[in-house]
Amino acid sequence: PASRALAGRHALVTSGPTHEPIDPVRYIANRSSGKQGHAIAAALAALGARVTLVSGPVAVPDPPGVTLRRVESAREMLAACEAALPADIAVMAAAVADWRVAEAATQKLKKAPGADAPTLTMALNPDILATLSRHARRPGLVIGFAAETERVVEHAVAKRQRKGCDWILANDVSGDVMGGDANRIHLVTADGVEDWPEMPKAAVAARLAERIATTLA
Ligand code: C5P
């Protein structure tokens, strides 16, 4: 029988990239499939949690049993997250663009013959993980990701402090993880570091959901 260990809990999950408009037809984005975030949303729902999944544009199928809020930009993602509060659990798996174009054009930019390429002025996007970690209605357990290629744990420990979240899932991406189906995770908490063996993204999601359920029990 399926465990209902997270019944009565509300989990907020972000997934996918954000798209930051340049003009109505062009955008800047991060590379992200949404596979890991969507798998986490599904795994939390499978343990009985009510799940709000805030996702940027992705090609992966909608996970079953979750409320899906589709967004494009980082600012829309933050607004959708804040609108979903209160939550018991927040897992921020989205690859949020750090910058947006300061003033996106309302009309398509024209390439006039002989004219120079446009110069884009960028503005800083909000950090959704850091904002939720310091929010007046902070979720009880806030979890972020760190994709690192070197000194993975060291960087994740620093990131956990900087962002103010409870856990960081440090993903060693020195291999070919991006867009692939397996992740190698080091779970960084206030108590230390757990090294997980390399496993498929669905297994990472299931193990994380179980770990969350044990912690909240
Ligand atoms: O700072 P960095 O992008 O490496 O941090 C990654 C973590 O922070 C991920 O959990 C990501 O979802 C989250 N993040 C965020 N908003 C941003 C940038 C990152 O929520 N603007």
Side-chain angles (χ1 to χ4, degrees):
S3 156
R4 302 283 297 168
L6 290 175
R9 307 283 191 178
H10 179 211
L12 170 62
V13 180
T14 66
S15 185
T18 63
H19 285 184
E20 310 298 330
I22 297 170
D23 68 16
V25 300
R26 303 183 178 95
Y27 60 84
I28 292 168
N30 276 27
R31 228 181 261 291
S32 169
S33 66
K35 282 179 189 169
Q36 187 63 82
H38 278 52
I40 290 166
L44 292 166
L47 292 188
R50 178 168 73 84
V51 178
T52 304
L53 173 61
V54 180
S55 179
V58 294
V60 290
D62 299 351
V66 315
T67 299
L68 181 59
R69 301 268 179 256
R70 287 190 182 81
V71 298
E72 298 223 335
S73 69
R75 288 190 295 176
E76 287 168 13
M77 184 171 277
L78 175 59
C81 285
E82 291 190 293
L85 297 177
D88 303 288
I89 304 150
V91 184
M92 306 285 95
V96 182
D98 292 309
W99 310 287
R100 66 177 179 274
V101 176
E103 290 188 50
T106 54
Q107 305 291 331
K108 184 181 174 187
L109 299 177
K110 290 296 185 191
K111 47 172 195 250
D116 287 339
T119 300
L120 299 178
T121 303
M122 310 294 281
L124 281 177
N125 265 337
D127 187 312
I128 300 166
L129 174 61
T131 302
L132 291 187
S133 294
R134 302 191 166 91
H135 204 276
R137 291 187 290 161
R138 184 192 195 278
L141 185 59
V142 181
I143 303 168
F145 273 81
E148 307 285 355
T149 56
E150 52 169 6
R151 296 195 291 166
V152 175
V153 168
E154 188 183 325
H155 283 132
V157 167
K159 184 162 294 183
R160 183 181 160 278
Q161 298 278 345
R162 195 165 65 240
K163 303 265 190 176
C165 60
D166 299 297
W167 298 355
I168 287 277
L169 273 84
N171 194 7
D172 189 338
V173 294
S174 53
D176 55 356
V177 183
M178 298 302 277
D181 284 311
N183 274 344
R184 191 155 79 242
I185 296 290
H186 310 272
L187 174 63
V188 177
T189 74
D191 299 329
V193 182
E194 283 173 28
D195 301 315
W196 296 1
E198 182 169 316
M199 59 180 100
K201 289 180 177 178
V204 169
R207 182 157 174 170
L208 177 64
E210 290 288 353
R211 188 74 174 65
I212 290 169
T214 315
T215 299
L216 296 184

